[in-house]
C-alpha cells in the first residue's frame, strides 16, 4: 500500500508536469469543446479541464469531472513519447474509463483533444495556418503530381519546400510486410486487437468504433464473396510491435520526426471524407489500391474547415466528397481537384494543409506517417509571390 506522502508526491509531480505542458499551448488554439476529466496515472491523480481559451491542470479533483481516465505509467510514457494514441489505448484497455457523467462529448473525443494539445511538441498559430494557406509557386494549376524515386532526397526537398504533394516510388522495396504477402501476415498477427470505425466524425456526432482482432478482421475481408464491402473500416490504428517490425519509416525525414505510425485496412468503398491535417504526412500503400482526391491549401476557406473536438491538428471539411457535398463546392475549386490512385508499393507525400478525400478501390492496406515532431517543411520557407 502506498503511503499518503507517496500518493501526494505522485499527484504533485503529474500535475506539475502537465501544468508546464499546458502553459505552452497558444491561446488561439481552441475549438468549441469544453469538458473536464480526472487523469489517474498509477498513484498520481490530477484534474484537467478544457476551457474556451486554455487547458487548466489542477491538483484538486473536482466532483464535476465528466469522467476519470486511468492508465499505468508505461502507457502514459507511450503517450508522452507519441508511441501510441488514445484511440488504440482505449481499445486495448490500456486506458480505462472508470466513471462517466452525462455529456455531449465522448471520453475518446475529450481525451484525444486534451492529450494532443498537452503533449504536442509544437503548435501552429492562426498566422501559421494562414501561411500554409498561401498559394505557392510551382504547384499551382498542376493537374498531375510529380513521381520521384523515394531515394531522391534532393528532389523531395525541392518539392516539399514549395508544399508540393508528390508520389514516391520504391518506398516499400525492402519492407518485410510486402514480401510476406497478406495471407502470411494474417497468420502472424493473431492477437493484435484493433478498433473498427463504424461511423466517421460528423458535424454533430463524434466518431464511433467497435473492437475486433486484426486476424479476424482480415479473415472477414478475405472470406466474403464481395471483398467484405459491409465490413467497417480499420482506420487510424496505432501499429503493434509485430507490425512495426514489418515496415520502415519514410527515409525523407529523420526518424525522430515521426511517431505513432498508423494503419488503415478496409474493403472497397471505405475511406475518409475531405479533411486536412496540419502536419506533413506520408501515406504508403502496401496492399490493394487507394484513390485520393486532393484540393490545394489555398482553397482553405472554400473548403469550410471545421474545428471539432477530437484532434486539433485535423480539420474535417464542410464538404464531404466531390460527389456528396453538404453545400456546393465552388466550380473553380472542383476544376482544380487532383486525383491519384496509389497502387501497391507507392507512397504519397501530403504537405500540411492539403485537403484530401480518400476511397479504397479494392481491399486495401496502407500506413500513414505523420511528422508530428517537426513543423511543416513549407513553413521553413520565406513567403513567395503567386505565379500568375
Ligand atoms: O487512408 C485513409 O483512409 C485516410 C488516410 C488519411 O486521411 C491520412 O493519412 O491523413
Amino acid at each position: 500500500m502506498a503511503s499518503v506522502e507517496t500518493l501526494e508526491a505522485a499527484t504533485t509531480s503529474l500535475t506539475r508536469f502537465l501544468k508546464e505542458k499546458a502553459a505552452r499551448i497558444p491561446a488561439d488554439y481552441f475549438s468549441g469543446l469544453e469538458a473536464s476529466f480526472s487523469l489517474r496515472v498509477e498513484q498520481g491523480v490530477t484534474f484537467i479541464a478544457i476551457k474556451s481559451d486554455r487547458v487548466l491542470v489542477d491538483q484538486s479533483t473536482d466532483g464535476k469531472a465528466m469522467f476519470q481516465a486511468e492508465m499505468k505509467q508505461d502507457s502514459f510514457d507511450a503517450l508522452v513519447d507519441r508511441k501510441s494514441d488514445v484511440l488504440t489505448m482505449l481499445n486495448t484497455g490500456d486506458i480505462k474509463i472508470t466513471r462517466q457523467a452525462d455529456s455531449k462529448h465522448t471520453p475518446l473525443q475529450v481525451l484525444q483533444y486534451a492529450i494532443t494539445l498537452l503533449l504536442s511538441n509544437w503548435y501552429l498559430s492562426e498566422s501559421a495556418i494562414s501561411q500554409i494557406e498561401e498559394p505557392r509557386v510551382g504547384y499551382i494549376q498542376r493537374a498531375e503530381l510529380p513521381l520521384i524515386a523515394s531515394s531522391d532526397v534532393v528532389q523531395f526537398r525541392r518539392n516539399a519546400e514549395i508544399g508540393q504533394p508528390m508520389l514516391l516510388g520504391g518506398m516499400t522495396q525492402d519492407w518485410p510486410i510486402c514480401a510476406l504477402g497478406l495471407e502470411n501476415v494474417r497468420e502472424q498477427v493473431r492477437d493484435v486487437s484493433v478498433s473498427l470505425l463504424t461511423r466517421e466524425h460528423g458535424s454533430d456526432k463524434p466518431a464511433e468504433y467497435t473492437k475486433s482482432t486484426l486476424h479476424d478482421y482480415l479473415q472477414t475481408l478475405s472470406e466474403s464473396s464481395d471483398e467484405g464491402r459491409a465490413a467497417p473500416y480499420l482506420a487510424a490504428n496505432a501499429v503493434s510491435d509485430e507490425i512495426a517490425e514489418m515496415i520502415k519509416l519514410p527515409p525523407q525525414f529523420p526518424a525522430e520526426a515521426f511517431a505513432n505510425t498508423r494503419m488503415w485496412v478496409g474493403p472497397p468503398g471505405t475511406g475518409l471524407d475531405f479533411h486536412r491535417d496540419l502536419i506533413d504526412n506520408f501515406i504508403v500503400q502496401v496492399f490493394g489500391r487507394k484513390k485520393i482526391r486532393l484540393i490545394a491549401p489555398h482553397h482553405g476557406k472554400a473548403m469550410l474547415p471545421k474545428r471539432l473536438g477530437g484532434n486539433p491538428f485535423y480539420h474535417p471539411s464542410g464538404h464531404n466528397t466531390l460527389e456528396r457535398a453538404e453545400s456546393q463546392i465552388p466550380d473553380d475549386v472542383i476544376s482544380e481537384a487532383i486525383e491519384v490512385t496509389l497502387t501497391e508499393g507507392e507512397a504519397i507525400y501530403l504537405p500540411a494543409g492539403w485537403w484530401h478525400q480518400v476511397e479504397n478501390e479494392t481491399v486495401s492496406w496502407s500506413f500513414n506517417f505523420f511528422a508530428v515532431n517537426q513543423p511543416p517543411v513549407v513553413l521553413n520557407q520565406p513567403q513567395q509571390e503567386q505565379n500568375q
Side-chain angles (χ1 to χ4, degrees):
M1 232 348 192
S3 67
V4 175
E5 289 78 24
T6 314
L7 300 185
E8 269 178 18
T11 293
T12 307
S13 125
L14 177 67
T15 306
R16 189 179 302 136
F17 175 77
L18 288 173
K19 255 192 175 158
E20 276 168 20
K21 297 278 183 199
R24 304 168 320 148
I25 306 170
D28 58 7
Y29 224 72
F30 294 84
S31 74
L33 192 151
E34 290 203 29
S36 62
F37 61 100
S38 53
L39 176 68
R40 174 178 283 280
V41 180
E42 307 260 347
Q43 311 296 347
V45 56
T46 196
F47 173 76
I48 298 175
I50 308 171
K51 305 279 188 191
S52 57
D53 58 350
R54 76 209 139 106
V55 175
L56 186 136
V57 180
D58 211 324
Q59 289 251 7
S60 57
T61 46
D62 183 328
K64 288 195 197 122
M66 174 187 147
F67 60 87
Q68 175 155 317
E70 284 189 18
M71 70 188 89
K72 296 225 156 47
Q73 187 66 46
D74 56 357
S75 299
F76 184 67
D77 293 344
L79 286 178
V80 174
D81 296 341
R82 313 286 296 267
K83 295 225 168 74
S84 189
D85 59 37
V86 169
L87 169 63
T88 304
M89 286 193 173
L90 279 173
N91 179 51
T92 52
D94 290 331
I95 298 178
K96 292 195 175 50
I97 304 300
T98 50
R99 177 167 55 81
Q100 190 172 343
D102 284 344
S103 165
K104 58 184 170 143
H105 306 299
T106 64
L108 167 64
Q109 196 183 10
V110 173
L111 278 172
Q112 262 182 350
Y113 196 79
I115 299 285
T116 312
L117 273 179
L118 284 167
L119 301 183
S120 287
N121 292 326
W122 50 275
Y123 299 92
L124 281 184
S125 61
E126 285 298 323
S127 73
I129 295 175
S130 306
Q131 210 178 321
I132 282 177
E133 288 178 342
E134 286 290 310
R136 308 263 155 188
V137 175
Y139 74 64
I140 295 167
Q141 288 162 358
R142 190 173 196 157
E144 283 185 10
L145 296 189
L147 165 65
I148 66 165
S150 173
S151 53
D152 189 348
V153 285
V154 174
Q155 189 57 41
F156 172 82
R157 199 74 206 173
R158 251 184 234 139
N159 289 341
E161 282 171 356
I162 57 162
Q164 170 71 59
M166 65 196 114
L167 296 171
L168 300 159
M171 186 97 135
T172 63
Q173 235 160 26
D174 51 354
W175 285 28
I177 195 167
C178 298
L180 277 169
L182 197 47
E183 280 181 22
N184 291 325
V185 174
R186 185 178 71 211
E187 293 318 307
Q188 292 194 14
V189 294
R190 292 203 158 263
D191 299 329
V192 173
S193 7
V194 290
S195 50
L196 306 175
L197 179 70
T198 49
R199 200 193 51 215
E200 200 176 326
H201 207 138
S203 45
D204 51 345
K205 294 203 176 110
E208 281 178 6
Y209 297 87
T210 177
K211 293 183 192 183
S212 182
T213 64
L214 184 52
H215 176 271
D216 289 358
Y217 181 68
L218 292 174
Q219 188 98 339
T220 309
L221 297 188
S222 69
E223 279 176 355
S224 136
S225 55
D226 64 352
E227 301 181 281
R229 271 165 214 272
Y233 195 19
L234 193 166
N237 279 228
V239 299
S240 63
D241 292 344
E242 296 97 310
I243 296 187
E245 278 171 20
M246 299 179 192
I247 61 176
K248 308 241 160 123
L249 292 175
Q252 288 77 9
F253 291 155
E256 312 79 72
F258 300 104
N260 191 16
T261 304
R262 306 181 312 163
M263 60 180 180
W264 306 75
V265 189
T270 48
L272 285 194
D273 287 351
F274 270 120
H275 64 278
R276 68 176 175 188
D277 302 296
L278 297 171
I279 314 175
D280 287 348
N281 186 19
F282 294 82
I283 301 177
V284 185
Q285 190 70 17
V286 289
F287 299 119
R289 290 198 313 271
K290 186 183 282 290
K291 183 164 77 186
I292 306 182
R293 277 159 164 174
L294 299 173
I295 288 183
H298 62 270
H299 291 305
K301 306 278 177 296
M303 290 302 284
L304 312 176
K306 293 186 179 175
R307 311 228 169 155
L308 296 179
N311 178 350
F313 290 87
Y314 162 84
H315 293 168
S317 165
H319 308 292
N320 301 343
T321 66
L322 279 189
E323 299 82 9
R324 190 163 50 82
E326 269 177 28
S327 47
Q328 199 64 43
I329 305 183
D331 287 345
D332 62 320
V333 178
I334 293 189
S335 68
E336 285 181 30
I338 300 171
E339 185 171 305
V340 285
T341 298
L342 286 188
T343 56
E344 289 185 10
E346 264 184 345
I348 185 170
Y349 167 70
L350 272 184
W354 276 80
W355 295 92
H356 47 294
Q357 173 204 332
V358 182
E359 187 182 340
N360 293 315
E361 290 188 336
T362 60
V363 168
S364 157
W365 185 332
S366 59
F367 293 90
N368 100 283
F369 301 85
F370 280 129
V372 292
N373 292 326
Q374 64 177 38
V377 172
V378 79
L379 290 183
N380 296 335
Q381 292 309 300
Q383 291 285 312
Q384 301 181 49
E385 293 296 311
Q386 190 171 344
N387 188 18
Q388 300 264 6

